[in-house]
Amino acid sequence: MAENIGFGVDVGGSGIKGGVVDLDTGELVGERIKILTPQPATPDAVAETIAEIVRIAGWEGPVGVTLPSVIRDQTALLAANIDESWVDMDCRELFSRHLPDHRTHVLNDADAAGLAEARFGDAHARQGSVVLLTFGTGIGSALLHDGLLYPNSELGHLHIGDDEAEHIASAAAKEREDLSYKKWAKRVSKVLRTYEALFWPTLFVVGGGISRKHEKWVPLLECRTPVVPAKLHNNAGIAGAALAASEGLLP
Ligand code: BGC
């Protein structure tokens, strides 16, 4: 059994997933516990579900939590794809009620994935200027330089033409509009080219559930920056949350 372990919970639009993480490798130790996201996903309902996951795991230490929101000083500031009652939610106060015996650390979901990839992922993701993007209900982003995070970048909301990047090219947009990988990859390429004109990264890392099928679309992307799939795939959020909680890497 690994000795350097932590606990992370990743809050998504459809599921809330948590598990014990080996902090030397980023891998899950034991099973990943998943509970469907309560609807409506109000702060109290989500926090209670997180508490349930922690109870099921029998975990006693600090808990890292990701949210699809801007997090500053442990307060959620934005609710693009979650219940709007999260805006201005003081997460310290919320979790002190639902998880009174645990120290909790909340951070943006894509930032968590970025921290995990920078620590445990592809060697190229650890140095240089890296833009990590997660494709799911929205597009999440993490900006990293030599492994250090500039938090809350929210590049999914950048306007490209008349619409936000995430409305054009998230995995949800692919599903909603029934796009082929080829058609969707064209849209993703346009988004990547817009980002590279602004940030000139040395590497894009692409994650989210759809990165499990990376061979179907990453080779179709057209941009000048190399693109690699996230190594931790969908567990990057859990691993990054656990890392942030254990090391106090807080936005
Ligand atoms: C949210 C981000 C989040 C991303 C991916 C966006 O709509 O504004 O905070 O990282 O979705 O979940």
Side-chain angles (χ1 to χ4, degrees), residues 11-13 67-71 78-82 108-111 134-141 152 154-157 164 166-167:
V11 176
L67 285 176
S69 176
V70 169
I71 307 294
L78 181 80
N81 283 316
I82 45 167
N108 172 266
D109 53 1
D111 282 346
T134 60
F135 293 85
T137 312
I139 295 180
S141 62
N152 297 313
E154 294 291 328
L155 298 188
H157 299 301
E164 289 184 23
E166 73 175 24
H167 293 156

Side-chain angles (χ1 to χ4, degrees), residues 111-132:
D111 282 346
L115 288 175
E117 289 294 328
R119 179 71 65 91
F120 310 116
D122 189 290
H124 299 287
R126 293 176 211 171
Q127 44 185 292
S129 308
V130 176
V131 175
L132 170 127

Side-chain angles (χ1 to χ4, degrees), residues 1-62:
M1 173 92 170
E3 285 190 358
N4 186 17
I5 54 177
F7 198 87
V9 181
D10 194 20
V11 176
S14 54
I16 301 182
K17 296 150 278 179
V20 178
V21 177
D22 179 337
L23 295 173
D24 292 322
T25 64
E27 278 161 25
L28 292 191
V29 180
E31 61 165 341
R32 181 170 94 147
I33 300 159
K34 178 174 174 178
I35 298 182
L36 292 183
T37 307
Q39 300 301 338
T42 58
D44 278 309
V46 167
E48 199 38 50
T49 306
I50 294 170
E52 179 66 17
I53 289 175
V54 172
R55 270 196 296 274
I56 293 171
W59 177 255
E60 288 178 350

